[in-house]
Amino acid sequence: MKKALITGISGQDGSYLAELLLSKGYEVHGIVRRTSLTQRGRIDHLHEDESVRDRLKLHYGDLADAMSLTRLLHHIQPEEIYNLAAQSHVRVSFDVPEYTGDVTALGATRILEAIKELGLKTKFYQASSSEMFGKVQAVPQTETTPFYPRSPYGVAKLYAHWITVNYRESYGLFACSGILFNHESPRRGESFVTRKISQAVARIKKGQQKELVLGNLDAKRDWGYAKEYVEAMWMMLQQSTPDDYVIATNETHSVREFLDEAFSHVGLDWKDYVKHGDAYERPAEVDLLIGDMSKAERELGWKPKTTFKELVRIMVDADLEAIERYPMAAYHER
C-alpha cells in the first residue's frame, strides 16, 4: 500500500486529491493546522466512509515549522508528497506579504530540505501557479514562458517553483511542479471570485441576498475543473523522470463572462445585481491568463473534459442545492 502525504488536505484541491488517492488504494496522510479544526467540511465525508476512513490519517503540523515537518516525514515515510498548502488568496497576499512568503515560498523549501536530510526516496509535487506569469510575456503561456509575477502570492509561488527545480537538479530529488491555471469547483473557498459569484447567484435567486460587489470584471482567466486537475498532479508523480507541466484548458474567459453564464443559468441578468467596489481591486492586476497544456496532453495523457459553461453550472447548481438543504446556514453565512 502506497503512502502519500498531502499538505493542505482540507482545501479544495487537497480534498479532491485525497478522494482520488484513496480510490487508488493509497494510505493518505494529511497535514492540518490547529486553526483549521472548524474548516474540514470538504473531507468530513471521507471519515464517514467505512471503506476508506481507516486509510485516512490527519496530523497537526505547519509549513512555517520545519521541525514538525521533518518529524512527520520521518514518522510517515511517504512514497509521495503533494505540497498544496499555501496562503493562496492573491488579494490577501498584498495585505500579508511576509506571511505569504513564509508559508507559500519557504514552506516548500522546508519540505524539500527535510526530504534531503532524511534521505527519503519520496516523490515530491509542488503546486505552482499561473499567477507566476502575471504580466504575461507570451500568449498562450507554456512551461518555457518567462515569469513576471504581479503579487506577493505570485512571487512566493515563483520562489517555491524555482527552489523545487533547484533541489531536483542539485540533489537528484524526484520533484515536479504543476503550473496550474485557475481551477474551480463547488469546494472553492468563498472569498474567491468564482465562488463568490456562484454563491451570490444562488442566494439572490432564493431571496437571501440583494446585490454582489466585485472588483475588476475585465480580468481574463483560464478556468478549469479542480477535480480533473488533481488527476494531473498524480500523473506527474507516476512518470519515470520528474518534470514541470502547465495544466490548463487553453481557453480564456473574463469575470464578466462568468457572471453572464452564472446569472443566466437561473434566468437573471447580472447587471441588475452586480456593483463595483474599489476595495476588491488589486494594486497590480493580472489581465490575461491562458495556458497551453499540450505538453501534459502529450507526455501525461491528460486533458480537460469539463467545459467553461459546464463548470459554471456545476458551481451554481451546487450552491442552489446547499441553500435548499440548509437554508438558514446559507443565510447566516452571507
Side-chain angles (χ1 to χ4, degrees):
M1 186 186 299
K2 274 189 178 180
K3 286 187 284 188
L5 174 65
I6 304 173
T7 72
I9 192 171
S10 60
Q12 170 188 250
D13 293 4
S15 64
Y16 282 125
L17 180 60
E19 288 178 351
L20 176 68
L21 296 179
L22 288 167
S23 74
K24 293 182 179 296
Y26 280 67
E27 179 178 292
V28 176
H29 296 258
I31 295 180
V32 294
R33 292 175 300 157
R34 182 67 180 83
T35 52
S36 66
L37 184 62
T38 59
Q39 302 170 4
R40 299 181 194 169
R42 299 180 183 93
I43 57 174
D44 281 345
H45 66 287
L46 295 174
H47 289 287
E48 297 167 1
D49 186 341
E50 292 183 6
S51 66
V52 301
R53 66 185 178 195
D54 290 340
R55 290 186 284 117
L56 177 63
K57 306 174 189 300
L58 301 182
H59 310 268
Y60 287 118
D62 198 304
L63 289 188
D65 182 0
M67 184 61 71
S68 71
L69 294 173
T70 302
R71 185 172 59 250
L72 282 171
L73 264 61
H74 180 265
H75 171 67
I76 298 167
Q77 300 276 315
E79 281 86 3
E80 297 172 4
I81 296 175
Y82 298 85
N83 182 35
L84 311 185
Q87 190 302 100
S88 58
H89 198 286
V90 177
R91 178 63 189 84
V92 171
S93 75
F94 285 99
D95 300 323
V96 288
E98 183 179 347
Y99 173 75
T100 299
D102 188 28
V103 174
T104 307
L106 294 181
T109 309
R110 293 179 182 113
I111 297 174
L112 288 163
E113 184 66 11
I115 294 171
K116 177 177 74 74
E117 288 300 305
L118 292 170
L120 300 179
K121 299 302 181 184
T122 301
K123 293 184 175 183
F124 175 79
Y125 171 84
Q126 168 59 27
S128 290
S129 168
S130 60
E131 287 288 329
M132 301 187 308
F133 293 117
K135 189 176 181 180
V136 298
Q137 305 298 293
V139 177
Q141 293 86 55
T142 71
E143 292 81 3
T144 60
T145 301
F147 299 116
Y148 196 137
R150 297 268 284 171
S151 67
Y153 170 76
V155 173
K157 278 293 187 183
L158 184 54
Y159 177 100
H161 177 82
W162 279 119
I163 202 67
T164 300
V165 173
N166 184 257
Y167 270 70
R168 179 171 72 214
E169 295 179 350
S170 299
Y171 306 112
L173 270 58
F174 192 110
C176 298
S177 286
I179 308 173
L180 271 58
F181 281 63
N182 293 64
H183 45 290
E184 318 298 317
S185 77
R187 299 182 189 178
R188 188 56 140 157
E190 295 177 12
S191 60
F192 290 85
V193 66
T194 53
R195 186 72 196 289
K196 282 180 69 174
I197 292 171
S198 67
Q199 202 165 57
V201 167
R203 289 172 177 170
I204 289 170
K205 182 67 175 177
K206 297 295 184 180
Q208 295 184 359
Q209 187 170 326
K210 293 182 178 179
E211 63 180 34
L212 171 63
V213 182
L214 296 174
N216 181 15
L217 303 188
D218 297 316
K220 294 182 177 180
R221 295 291 183 271
D222 185 325
W223 278 303
Y225 188 19
K227 189 173 184 179
E228 297 171 358
Y229 280 38
V230 300
E231 296 175 2
M233 300 177 187
W234 176 79
M235 289 176 175
M236 289 179 210
L237 296 197
Q238 311 316 306
Q239 305 305 301
S240 57
T241 55
D243 207 344
D244 306 322
Y245 298 88
V246 163
I247 303 299
T249 69
N250 200 30
E251 288 185 16
T252 189
H253 298 275
S254 67
V255 175
R256 199 181 302 273
E257 288 177 80
F258 200 103
L259 282 168
D260 194 48
E261 286 290 346
F263 275 88
S264 63
H265 182 49
V266 296
L268 299 175
D269 186 342
W270 67 268
K271 299 181 188 69
D272 296 332
Y273 304 96
V274 177
K275 312 294 182 185
H276 179 266
D278 290 335
Y280 296 102
E281 296 280 358
R282 300 178 184 177
E285 183 59 86
V286 174
D287 297 316
L288 168 65
L289 291 174
I290 178 171
D292 179 353
M293 74 296 182
S294 57
K295 179 181 175 182
E297 184 173 3
R298 182 176 64 252
E299 297 186 12
L300 303 178
W302 181 92
K303 61 181 180 179
K305 305 178 187 73
T306 304
T307 67
F308 172 71
K309 180 176 288 189
E310 288 169 343
L311 174 61
V312 176
R313 293 184 175 187
I314 287 170
M315 294 180 67
V316 171
D317 287 344
D319 280 323
L320 282 168
E321 182 183 349
I323 288 179
E324 289 169 1
R325 274 187 177 180
Y326 311 107
M328 293 309 295
Y331 179 81
H332 288 304
E333 285 173 3
R334 184 169 47 135

